[in-house]
PDB file of all heavy atoms in Angstrom:
ATOM      1  N   ALA A  14     -10.125   6.511  -4.725  1.00 78.00           N
ATOM      2  CA  ALA A  14      -9.359   5.481  -4.200  1.00 78.00           C
ATOM      3  C   ALA A  14     -10.012   4.985  -2.986  1.00 78.00           C
ATOM      4  O   ALA A  14     -10.126   3.747  -2.563  1.00 78.00           O
ATOM      5  CB  ALA A  14      -7.936   5.907  -4.026  1.00 78.00           C
ATOM      6  N   LEU A  42      -6.676  10.786  14.993  1.00 95.00           N
ATOM      7  CA  LEU A  42      -7.632  11.165  15.869  1.00 95.00           C
ATOM      8  C   LEU A  42      -8.779  10.130  16.044  1.00 95.00           C
ATOM      9  O   LEU A  42      -9.260   9.833  17.104  1.00 95.00           O
ATOM     10  CB  LEU A  42      -8.285  12.505  15.468  1.00 95.00           C
ATOM     11  CG  LEU A  42      -7.414  13.766  15.651  1.00 95.00           C
ATOM     12  CD1 LEU A  42      -8.055  15.112  15.177  1.00 95.00           C
ATOM     13  CD2 LEU A  42      -7.002  13.982  17.179  1.00 95.00           C
ATOM     14  N   LYS A  84       2.912   3.079  18.232  1.00 96.00           N
ATOM     15  CA  LYS A  84       3.338   3.401  19.683  1.00 96.00           C
ATOM     16  C   LYS A  84       2.255   3.117  20.730  1.00 96.00           C
ATOM     17  O   LYS A  84       2.511   2.746  21.783  1.00 96.00           O
ATOM     18  CB  LYS A  84       3.771   4.793  19.756  1.00 96.00           C
ATOM     19  CG  LYS A  84       4.985   5.209  18.973  1.00 96.00           C
ATOM     20  CD  LYS A  84       5.265   6.708  19.119  1.00 96.00           C
ATOM     21  CE  LYS A  84       6.548   7.141  18.275  1.00 96.00           C
ATOM     22  NZ  LYS A  84       6.673   8.555  18.265  1.00 96.00           N
ATOM     23  N   GLU A  97       3.765   3.725  -4.770  1.00 86.00           N
ATOM     24  CA  GLU A  97       5.287   3.504  -4.582  1.00 86.00           C
ATOM     25  C   GLU A  97       5.498   2.017  -5.111  1.00 86.00           C
ATOM     26  O   GLU A  97       4.997   1.034  -4.469  1.00 86.00           O
ATOM     27  CB  GLU A  97       5.677   3.669  -3.147  1.00 86.00           C
ATOM     28  CG  GLU A  97       7.340   3.477  -2.886  1.00 86.00           C
ATOM     29  CD  GLU A  97       8.065   4.304  -3.807  1.00 86.00           C
ATOM     30  OE1 GLU A  97       7.982   5.516  -3.704  1.00 86.00           O
ATOM     31  OE2 GLU A  97       8.772   3.708  -4.693  1.00 86.00           O
ATOM     32  N   LEU A 126      -5.451  -6.565  -3.219  1.00 92.00           N
ATOM     33  CA  LEU A 126      -6.014  -6.003  -1.882  1.00 92.00           C
ATOM     34  C   LEU A 126      -6.696  -7.121  -1.167  1.00 92.00           C
ATOM     35  O   LEU A 126      -6.556  -7.273  -0.087  1.00 92.00           O
ATOM     36  CB  LEU A 126      -6.790  -4.743  -2.100  1.00 92.00           C
ATOM     37  CG  LEU A 126      -7.202  -4.155  -0.761  1.00 92.00           C
ATOM     38  CD1 LEU A 126      -6.198  -3.707   0.123  1.00 92.00           C
ATOM     39  CD2 LEU A 126      -8.067  -2.863  -1.123  1.00 92.00           C
ATOM     40  N   GLY A 132      -4.770 -12.627   3.639  1.00 96.00           N
ATOM     41  CA  GLY A 132      -3.550 -13.166   4.007  1.00 96.00           C
ATOM     42  C   GLY A 132      -3.049 -12.665   5.376  1.00 96.00           C
ATOM     43  O   GLY A 132      -2.551 -13.365   6.366  1.00 96.00           O
ATOM     44  N   ASP A 137      -0.381 -14.037   7.820  1.00 96.00           N
ATOM     45  CA  ASP A 137       0.794 -14.005   6.881  1.00 96.00           C
ATOM     46  C   ASP A 137       1.378 -12.712   6.722  1.00 96.00           C
ATOM     47  O   ASP A 137       0.636 -11.612   6.927  1.00 96.00           O
ATOM     48  CB  ASP A 137       0.328 -14.503   5.575  1.00 96.00           C
ATOM     49  CG  ASP A 137      -0.105 -16.029   5.702  1.00 96.00           C
ATOM     50  OD1 ASP A 137       0.257 -16.647   6.480  1.00 96.00           O
ATOM     51  OD2 ASP A 137      -1.016 -16.345   4.682  1.00 96.00           O
ATOM     52  N   VAL A 139       2.316 -10.352   3.711  1.00 95.00           N
ATOM     53  CA  VAL A 139       2.010 -10.385   2.390  1.00 95.00           C
ATOM     54  C   VAL A 139       2.809  -9.413   1.496  1.00 95.00           C
ATOM     55  O   VAL A 139       2.596  -8.161   1.625  1.00 95.00           O
ATOM     56  CB  VAL A 139       0.511 -10.175   2.029  1.00 95.00           C
ATOM     57  CG1 VAL A 139       0.187 -10.204   0.574  1.00 95.00           C
ATOM     58  CG2 VAL A 139      -0.384 -11.054   2.831  1.00 95.00           C
ATOM     59  N   ASP A 150      19.631  -9.498  -5.342  1.00 50.00           N
ATOM     60  CA  ASP A 150      20.778  -8.517  -5.729  1.00 50.00           C
ATOM     61  C   ASP A 150      20.194  -7.110  -5.786  1.00 50.00           C
ATOM     62  O   ASP A 150      21.034  -6.059  -5.658  1.00 50.00           O
ATOM     63  CB  ASP A 150      21.478  -8.930  -6.945  1.00 50.00           C
ATOM     64  CG  ASP A 150      22.324 -10.104  -6.724  1.00 50.00           C
ATOM     65  OD1 ASP A 150      22.665 -10.418  -5.605  1.00 50.00           O
ATOM     66  OD2 ASP A 150      22.661 -10.715  -7.826  1.00 50.00           O
ATOM     67  N   ASN A 151      18.857  -6.935  -6.081  1.00 56.00           N
ATOM     68  CA  ASN A 151      18.268  -5.624  -6.313  1.00 56.00           C
ATOM     69  C   ASN A 151      17.746  -5.096  -5.066  1.00 56.00           C
ATOM     70  O   ASN A 151      17.246  -3.918  -5.099  1.00 56.00           O
ATOM     71  CB  ASN A 151      17.171  -5.843  -7.297  1.00 56.00           C
ATOM     72  CG  ASN A 151      17.730  -6.054  -8.652  1.00 56.00           C
ATOM     73  OD1 ASN A 151      18.909  -5.566  -9.108  1.00 56.00           O
ATOM     74  ND2 ASN A 151      16.905  -6.683  -9.656  1.00 56.00           N
ATOM     75  N   LEU A 155      19.655  -3.695   5.069  1.00 76.00           N
ATOM     76  CA  LEU A 155      20.491  -3.022   6.059  1.00 76.00           C
ATOM     77  C   LEU A 155      20.358  -3.529   7.468  1.00 76.00           C
ATOM     78  O   LEU A 155      19.228  -3.872   7.879  1.00 76.00           O
ATOM     79  CB  LEU A 155      20.110  -1.436   5.996  1.00 76.00           C
ATOM     80  CG  LEU A 155      20.189  -0.769   4.695  1.00 76.00           C
ATOM     81  CD1 LEU A 155      19.785   0.689   4.850  1.00 76.00           C
ATOM     82  CD2 LEU A 155      21.549  -0.746   4.147  1.00 76.00           C
ATOM     83  N   ASP A 157      21.303  -3.014  11.857  1.00 80.00           N
ATOM     84  CA  ASP A 157      21.181  -1.848  12.742  1.00 80.00           C
ATOM     85  C   ASP A 157      22.523  -1.105  12.657  1.00 80.00           C
ATOM     86  O   ASP A 157      22.451   0.124  12.791  1.00 80.00           O
ATOM     87  CB  ASP A 157      21.075  -2.442  14.152  1.00 80.00           C
ATOM     88  CG  ASP A 157      19.689  -3.053  14.442  1.00 80.00           C
ATOM     89  OD1 ASP A 157      18.811  -2.693  13.624  1.00 80.00           O
ATOM     90  OD2 ASP A 157      19.543  -3.861  15.413  1.00 80.00           O
ATOM     91  N   PHE A 158      23.567  -1.757  12.407  1.00 87.00           N
ATOM     92  CA  PHE A 158      24.788  -1.000  12.195  1.00 87.00           C
ATOM     93  C   PHE A 158      25.036  -0.118  11.039  1.00 87.00           C
ATOM     94  O   PHE A 158      25.340   1.169  11.207  1.00 87.00           O
ATOM     95  CB  PHE A 158      26.190  -1.923  12.136  1.00 87.00           C
ATOM     96  CG  PHE A 158      27.396  -1.286  12.515  1.00 87.00           C
ATOM     97  CD1 PHE A 158      27.836  -0.963  13.700  1.00 87.00           C
ATOM     98  CD2 PHE A 158      28.346  -1.109  11.387  1.00 87.00           C
ATOM     99  CE1 PHE A 158      29.142  -0.404  13.837  1.00 87.00           C
ATOM    100  CE2 PHE A 158      29.503  -0.458  11.520  1.00 87.00           C
ATOM    101  CZ  PHE A 158      29.955  -0.101  12.914  1.00 87.00           C
ATOM    102  N   LYS A 180      34.460   4.155  19.528  1.00 90.00           N
ATOM    103  CA  LYS A 180      35.406   3.694  20.514  1.00 90.00           C
ATOM    104  C   LYS A 180      35.140   4.209  21.741  1.00 90.00           C
ATOM    105  O   LYS A 180      35.422   3.334  22.841  1.00 90.00           O
ATOM    106  CB  LYS A 180      36.873   4.127  20.087  1.00 90.00           C
ATOM    107  CG  LYS A 180      37.437   3.328  18.773  1.00 90.00           C
ATOM    108  CD  LYS A 180      38.806   3.724  18.368  1.00 90.00           C
ATOM    109  CE  LYS A 180      39.286   2.901  17.164  1.00 90.00           C
ATOM    110  NZ  LYS A 180      40.537   3.273  16.852  1.00 90.00           N
ATOM    111  N   GLN A 182      32.246   4.837  23.011  1.00 88.00           N
ATOM    112  CA  GLN A 182      31.076   4.178  23.593  1.00 88.00           C
ATOM    113  C   GLN A 182      31.346   2.759  23.562  1.00 88.00           C
ATOM    114  O   GLN A 182      30.320   2.004  23.908  1.00 88.00           O
ATOM    115  CB  GLN A 182      29.849   4.557  22.642  1.00 88.00           C
ATOM    116  CG  GLN A 182      29.487   6.121  22.737  1.00 88.00           C
ATOM    117  CD  GLN A 182      28.360   6.361  21.787  1.00 88.00           C
ATOM    118  OE1 GLN A 182      27.944   5.473  20.925  1.00 88.00           O
ATOM    119  NE2 GLN A 182      27.911   7.653  21.643  1.00 88.00           N
ATOM    120  N   HIS A 210      24.671  13.150  -1.122  1.00 91.00           N
ATOM    121  CA  HIS A 210      23.799  12.361  -2.117  1.00 91.00           C
ATOM    122  C   HIS A 210      23.348  11.195  -1.307  1.00 91.00           C
ATOM    123  O   HIS A 210      22.070  10.776  -1.586  1.00 91.00           O
ATOM    124  CB  HIS A 210      24.619  12.027  -3.302  1.00 91.00           C
ATOM    125  CG  HIS A 210      23.773  11.393  -4.439  1.00 91.00           C
ATOM    126  ND1 HIS A 210      24.183  10.561  -5.373  1.00 91.00           N
ATOM    127  CD2 HIS A 210      22.447  11.475  -4.692  1.00 91.00           C
ATOM    128  CE1 HIS A 210      23.237  10.172  -6.147  1.00 91.00           C
ATOM    129  NE2 HIS A 210      22.170  10.774  -5.840  1.00 91.00           N
TER     130      HIS A 210
END
Side-chain angles (χ1 to χ4, degrees):
L42 289 175
K84 288 176 184 176
E97 177 59 63
L126 181 58
D137 298 334
V139 184
D150 291 337
N151 290 330
L155 303 177
D157 291 340
F158 193 76
K180 288 182 177 179
Q182 296 177 353
H210 189 206

